[in-house]
Amino acid sequence: MLIKLLSLYPVADAQGPEIDQGTLLRYLAEMVWFPSAAVSPYLSWKPVDDTHAAVTMTYAGVTATGTFTYSPAGDVTRFEALRYYDRPTGPTLEKWVVTVPENGYQTFQGIRIPAHAAITWKLKTGDFPWYQIQITGAAFNKNWHQQHP
């Protein structure tokens, strides 16, 4: 993971198995914004009960698992996983949760996706709300969707 300010000044430069696992979990959580990714050959789905499904992604020797929660209407309302949280003493596995409010969905180009979401680390010291997302527009590659039904 390399992040640069103005594409010039390194702000973050990290690598290793913890970063790799976190990258896969982020991909899994972000599938709600590109639903066609749910059929990727790298994914393995397992129903937990009527409103939960576990998904595991294995790619390039790295594996990550998370659980989606669905509303009775089939909307994703939550994604949760154990993800590495970087600490000065070294990374620790902590609960990482993405929540979508009940009225948080909108339709863009005929595809219904969450327009609002919040990401929270559930730490022993308390919740750490890390990020809030608001989608105001989305453009999808319709040719890709037509070629990959």
Side-chain angles (χ1 to χ4, degrees):
M1 173 179 66
L2 177 60
I3 301 171
K4 290 184 178 183
L5 179 65
L6 303 173
S7 297
L8 298 172
Y9 307 103
V11 176
D13 188 0
Q15 57 186 339
E18 295 86 2
I19 296 295
D20 294 344
Q21 183 255 20
T23 300
L24 294 188
L25 288 173
R26 182 175 165 191
Y27 179 92
L28 292 173
E30 290 180 359
M31 283 192 310
V32 296
W33 290 295
F34 56 107
S36 56
V39 296
S40 166
Y42 303 111
L43 304 183
S44 168
W45 290 89
K46 180 179 178 185
V48 175
D49 58 31
D50 289 345
T51 59
H52 296 86
V55 59
T56 299
M57 181 175 186
T58 301
Y59 183 80
V62 180
T63 298
T65 299
T67 301
F68 282 98
T69 302
Y70 299 90
S71 73
D75 290 333
V76 172
T77 60
R78 181 180 178 102
F79 175 79
E80 101 176 38
L82 292 177
R83 184 175 176 179
Y84 285 100
Y85 182 80
D86 194 27
R87 299 178 180 278
T89 56
T92 58
L93 276 175
E94 305 291 344
K95 189 182 287 189
W96 182 72
V97 178
V98 180
T99 54
V100 178
E102 237 181 84
N103 61 350
Y105 277 77
Q106 286 186 348
T107 301
F108 301 96
Q109 294 184 339
I111 299 175
R112 193 163 181 270
I113 60 171
H116 301 277
I119 301 169
T120 305
W121 287 95
K122 300 285 192 175
L123 305 174
K124 292 178 184 122
T125 56
D127 288 358
F128 172 41
W130 182 74
Y131 200 71
Q132 297 241 355
I133 299 164
Q134 181 175 355
I135 307 293
T136 57
F140 297 96
N141 181 339
K142 290 191 178 195
N143 290 333
W144 191 93
H145 290 286
Q146 291 169 353
Q147 295 168 7
H148 301 87

